[in-house]
Amino acid sequence: MNGAVLPKIAIAPGERQFWRIVNASPDRYADLKVDTEQLEIVALDGMALAFHDPRHRVEFADHVLVAPAGRVEAIVTGPPAGVQASLRTLCFDTGPDGNANPEMVLADLVDVPQPAHVIPTALPSAQLPVYKPLSPKLIARLEDSPSDFVVTFTEDKKGFYINDKKYGPSDPPMTSVSAGAFRH
């Protein structure tokens, strides 16, 4: 985790922390769990749960499956004083053609005194969204317009191909977009 062996995450009992977790593995599924606590999930793969339904701002779960290159954003509450807890991934078997991803501890949560801070008294449901949804008319226009760039992925025994060109990790980019431009 972040290149550390047996990492420790400092979190005081009852403290609420916002965690953004990225599964940077190319093929390992992580079924994430925090011992003794539920995850308060607020976004998956960079998309706030409330984006499509402002009434659905959070989801509580004992664990969450994060696919390779997947992301999860959650609020984690520190375990009670004197209780040991860890962030772990549960065993997840992708089947006979996949991998058995074993259960393992990713990091231990440790009780470290944190500086005193003011806890907001407003309820999350009272807060306004931090995004502005696109209008249905704009979404329809974008969906109905022709694509600027189409990408087709294929593979054979000799390798992987993007738009019929063999992929090489040291190849230059296939296309470039100027800063501030919009591609869909």
Side-chain angles (χ1 to χ4, degrees), residues 21-155:
I21 302 171
V22 177
N23 181 357
S25 170
D27 60 0
R28 179 177 300 277
Y29 283 76
D31 194 359
L32 300 175
K33 175 180 180 52
V34 174
D35 299 337
T36 74
E37 300 298 325
Q38 282 195 314
L39 296 165
E40 191 175 332
I41 301 166
V42 296
L44 294 169
D45 284 330
M47 178 69 67
L49 296 182
F51 182 76
H52 293 291
D53 181 0
R55 295 167 298 178
H56 185 188
R57 299 175 61 84
V58 66
E59 188 173 303
F60 291 90
D62 291 326
H63 60 100
V64 60
L65 183 63
V66 184
R71 297 165 290 171
V72 64
E73 295 175 10
I75 306 296
V76 176
T77 303
V83 174
Q84 291 187 342
S86 298
L87 169 65
R88 66 181 66 242
T89 179
L90 303 173
C91 180
F92 186 81
D93 191 345
T94 56
D97 293 331
N99 300 314
N101 299 286
E103 179 174 338
M104 67 177 74
V105 172
L106 301 174
D108 290 320
L109 280 61
V110 294
D111 179 0
V112 173
Q114 301 293 320
H117 59 278
V118 177
I119 298 173
T121 57
L123 298 173
S125 61
Q127 299 171 352
L128 295 175
V130 293
Y131 58 86
K132 179 181 177 188
L134 298 175
S135 73
K137 186 185 271 186
L138 176 59
I139 292 172
R141 190 179 89 224
L142 291 171
E143 289 176 341
D144 294 338
S145 65
S147 298
D148 293 335
F149 187 75
V150 176
V151 179
T152 304
F153 298 99
T154 56
E155 65 178 289

